[in-house]
Amino acid sequence: MNATVYFLLRLAIGASMFGHGLVRIPKLQAFSSWMAESFEKSLLPKTVVVPFSYALPIAELFIGLLLIAGLFTKPALVVAAIVMVILVFGTALIENWEALPSQLIHAAFFAFLLQFIVANTISLDSLIK
């Protein structure tokens, strides 16, 4: 894979994750309340949903920053994929089928970038090596 293509894809998905976190952190309480309300009728207890709802925007922000910088890229992609699997599972539990395509696209990006990690040459990871 071309290093420039990899770089641009990494930037795009990193910007998406960063943006998700950035807009949610200033309204963290409202986001958490919305998520807890969304899962009220699901199998997941509030004691699981509420902590996750506070951690998610922070994780999105930091994953996004790491991907944009190309720092700890492989671990960031693995964590991002795990976060996305959790989101897909939660989304299925509440039958929010409209949100699934976006989450699956993110998961596909993470898998694709992991598969071609050797092309991650335009990054802080490469400079550190």
Side-chain angles (χ1 to χ4, degrees):
M1 169 179 270
N2 180 305
T4 304
V5 170
Y6 188 94
F7 172 68
L8 292 171
L9 289 174
R10 195 191 74 227
L11 282 181
I13 199 70
S16 177
M17 293 298 284
F18 180 77
H20 274 83
L22 187 66
V23 300
R24 289 174 174 166
I25 286 176
K27 55 182 181 183
L28 198 52
Q29 178 65 45
F31 175 74
S32 177
S33 296
W34 168 81
M35 187 175 262
E37 185 180 312
S38 298
F39 280 85
E40 277 180 348
K41 295 178 183 169
S42 77
L43 299 171
L44 293 176
K46 195 172 186 176
T47 55
V48 171
V49 174
V50 171
F52 182 79
S53 70
Y54 280 101
L56 177 62
I58 296 164
E60 290 169 329
L61 184 83
F62 283 112
I63 289 166
L65 279 174
L66 291 173
L67 292 176
I68 289 167
L71 182 63
F72 306 117
T73 306
K74 188 173 183 178
L77 289 167
V78 170
V79 171
I82 291 167
V83 167
M84 214 46 59
V85 168
I86 293 167
L87 287 172
V88 165
F89 179 70
T91 299
L93 286 179
I94 61 171
E95 300 181 78
N96 183 3
W97 310 123
E98 297 82 24
L100 274 177
S102 173
Q103 293 168 345
L104 291 172
I105 289 168
H106 278 75
F109 262 89
F110 300 139
F112 184 84
L113 291 172
L114 275 169
Q115 176 66 35
F116 295 100
I117 194 78
V118 295
N120 188 37
T121 56
I122 305 171
S123 64
L124 288 179
D125 288 336
S126 277
L127 287 175
I128 293 170
K129 284 183 184 176

